[in-house]
Amino acid sequence: MFNIELTTQFAAYILYKRGGLMHYQKLMKLMYLTEQQYLLKYGEYLTGDKFVSMNNGPVLSGTYSLLKDGAEIWDHWIKGEEDWQVSLKVKDIDPNDPLETFDLLSPAIIKVIDSVYEKYGHFNHWDLCDLIRTPEVCPEWKNPHGSALPIQYEDILRSNGVDPERTKAIIARIKELESLQSSSETME
């Protein structure tokens, strides 16, 4: 299940690391790479968002919709700017303890975000779009030729060298978690 609150804090934390302003495509690519690395490292999804291959590389579908259309929680944290930039609206972040503000992000999530940002955060948005479409960085990406193609968890795991048995176990656990979340939402 797509977690909008977690996704929003995830995006806001990346913007915070960048000084509060970033091109939306760069934000999307850094978020995708973090989702990819989180799945590969921990064997579970981070936000529950859906992955798709688009012309400029893979994106998180729900997050892309938030960037375009907004939502109450998203609009509280993040603002669209001119020239396809997005900015962090929340300004009262304690630099000595920023994680107090980003309270939905666990230490494991922060570790992966920081690692991805350290590796890719210095690229401009076009260079990052080019890089993310390479088999070395995102072998799961397929050219959609103007469309959008879904990327499954299995695609990410297999194309990044996770063995078939581990892939099968990870997918089974993800389906079980989604089923439990669905059941708990039905009961509410």
Side-chain angles (χ1 to χ4, degrees), residues 112-157:
V112 176
I113 295 170
D114 288 349
S115 172
V116 167
Y117 190 83
E118 183 177 319
K119 188 170 185 176
Y120 299 105
H122 64 280
F123 288 97
N124 72 40
H125 67 280
W126 287 122
D127 291 340
L128 194 53
C129 286
D130 289 342
L131 186 65
I132 203 169
R133 292 180 291 183
T134 65
E136 296 79 26
V137 177
C138 290
E140 66 272 15
W141 179 79
K142 305 289 183 246
N143 189 337
H145 301 289
S147 182
L149 301 173
I151 300 172
Q152 304 300 324
Y153 294 119
E154 297 96 326
D155 299 332
I156 296 170
L157 295 164

Side-chain angles (χ1 to χ4, degrees), residues 36 44 129 133 177-178:
Q36 176 208 52
E44 54 189 49
C129 286
R133 292 180 291 183
L177 286 170
E178 288 175 341

Side-chain angles (χ1 to χ4, degrees), residues 32-60:
Y32 179 84
L33 288 166
T34 301
E35 285 271 9
Q36 176 208 52
Q37 290 304 303
Y38 194 84
L39 177 65
L40 294 171
K41 183 172 180 127
Y42 295 108
E44 54 189 49
Y45 59 79
L46 178 56
T47 64
D49 206 341
K50 302 293 182 205
F51 311 126
V52 294
S53 286
M54 295 184 74
N55 284 347
N56 287 324
V59 299
L60 306 174

Side-chain angles (χ1 to χ4, degrees), residues 74-91:
W74 182 270
D75 295 340
H76 171 77
W77 286 79
I78 297 169
K79 178 183 175 191
E81 301 286 350
E82 292 180 9
D83 299 323
W84 305 100
Q85 303 284 316
V86 289
S87 67
L88 181 61
K89 287 173 72 174
V90 174
K91 301 293 185 199

